[in-house]
Amino acid sequence: MRLSSLFFLVATMAALAGCTYKGVPEPQVSARDTEWLAQVPTAQEEPRYGRYQIEDPTGEAPGTIVVDTKQRFLYYVMDNKKAIRYGVAVGDEAYGWTGTSRIARKAEWPDWNPPAEMKARWPHVQYTKGGPGNPLGARALYLYEGNHDTLYRIHGTNEPEKIGLAVSSGCIRMRNIDVIDLYNRVALNTKVIVR
């Protein structure tokens, strides 16, 4: 381990020791999840963007999802003023979206059919069957405003090295294991606030 990496690890551990951060166990996964997750590229994870139970900083009702696009965190609000915080990648400034929506659909290893606007910007993108090479990753939560599909999603990724960055076309990307954890916790019609 390089000296700078060791210093960063020790500094991070010291910072976390003074906070009320609590690790969250890995979610249960299926045999297919295990097989396909093993085929997704891995990246060195920054501890700051790990999955932690913390004191709720949002003030929202339990069961609400809040995405802080500036800090690159997604919060799932729980009872007793607690929340689970996940690191995310968010929309590039040109494509970012904010607002209030609801989860109208949930899918495991979904197919990806990029919208026409995205195909016009990037002609190389195309329909991709669900699986380890799919940009939506292991799970997708489809965001609607009323009955209108926003075309934005909270989803996994096959580019875990981009967690913590503003790089997407507006969707909220999570590590695959994190989106599985969130998917298992939320129901249809869960309120989602993107700030």
Side-chain angles (χ1 to χ4, degrees):
M1 183 179 284
R2 291 184 296 159
L3 187 57
S4 62
S5 296
L6 181 60
F7 174 77
F8 178 75
L9 180 62
V10 170
T12 301
M13 289 173 59
L16 291 177
C19 299
T20 57
Y21 287 64
K22 178 181 174 186
V24 177
E26 297 284 14
Q28 289 190 343
V29 296
S30 68
R32 178 180 70 169
D33 287 336
T34 300
E35 178 186 344
W36 284 2
L37 287 170
Q39 296 175 44
V40 175
T42 59
Q44 184 170 347
E45 296 176 18
E46 185 176 334
R48 167 187 165 134
Y49 295 113
R51 183 176 63 248
Y52 300 104
Q53 181 179 310
I54 64 168
E55 298 295 322
D56 173 34
T58 72
E60 298 294 335
T64 304
I65 293 172
V66 179
V67 180
D68 181 337
T69 59
K70 290 186 180 15
Q71 297 297 317
R72 318 288 199 264
F73 292 123
L74 180 150
Y75 301 93
Y76 175 67
V77 181
M78 302 189 315
D79 291 328
N80 301 318
K81 298 183 180 180
K82 301 288 185 194
I84 297 178
R85 189 186 81 182
Y86 306 86
V88 296
V90 298
D92 186 322
E93 195 169 311
Y95 306 111
W97 171 80
T98 59
T100 300
S101 60
R102 67 182 179 89
I103 296 172
R105 180 175 169 230
K106 296 169 58 175
E108 295 186 17
W109 296 100
D111 296 346
W112 181 54
N113 193 12
E117 303 81 32
M118 187 180 289
K119 290 178 183 177
R121 282 194 309 268
W122 301 300
H124 68 281
V125 300
Q126 59 187 347
Y127 169 84
T128 307
K129 183 98 176 113
N134 186 307
L136 295 181
R139 304 288 188 273
L141 305 171
Y142 296 74
L143 304 183
Y144 280 60
E145 291 177 327
N147 292 322
H148 173 72
D149 186 352
T150 65
L151 301 180
Y152 293 103
R153 315 287 184 241
I154 297 171
H155 63 80
T157 184
N158 59 4
E159 298 179 312
E161 70 279 4
K162 294 188 176 173
I163 297 300
L165 303 176
V167 293
S168 77
S169 290
C171 289
I172 308 302
R173 298 182 193 178
M174 303 176 73
R175 292 184 318 137
N176 282 316
I177 199 68
D178 287 346
V179 80
I180 290 171
D181 184 76
L182 181 64
Y183 180 99
N184 292 345
R185 293 175 188 279
V186 301
L188 293 177
N189 295 312
T190 293
K191 182 178 181 180
V192 178
I193 302 168
V194 180
R195 299 177 175 155

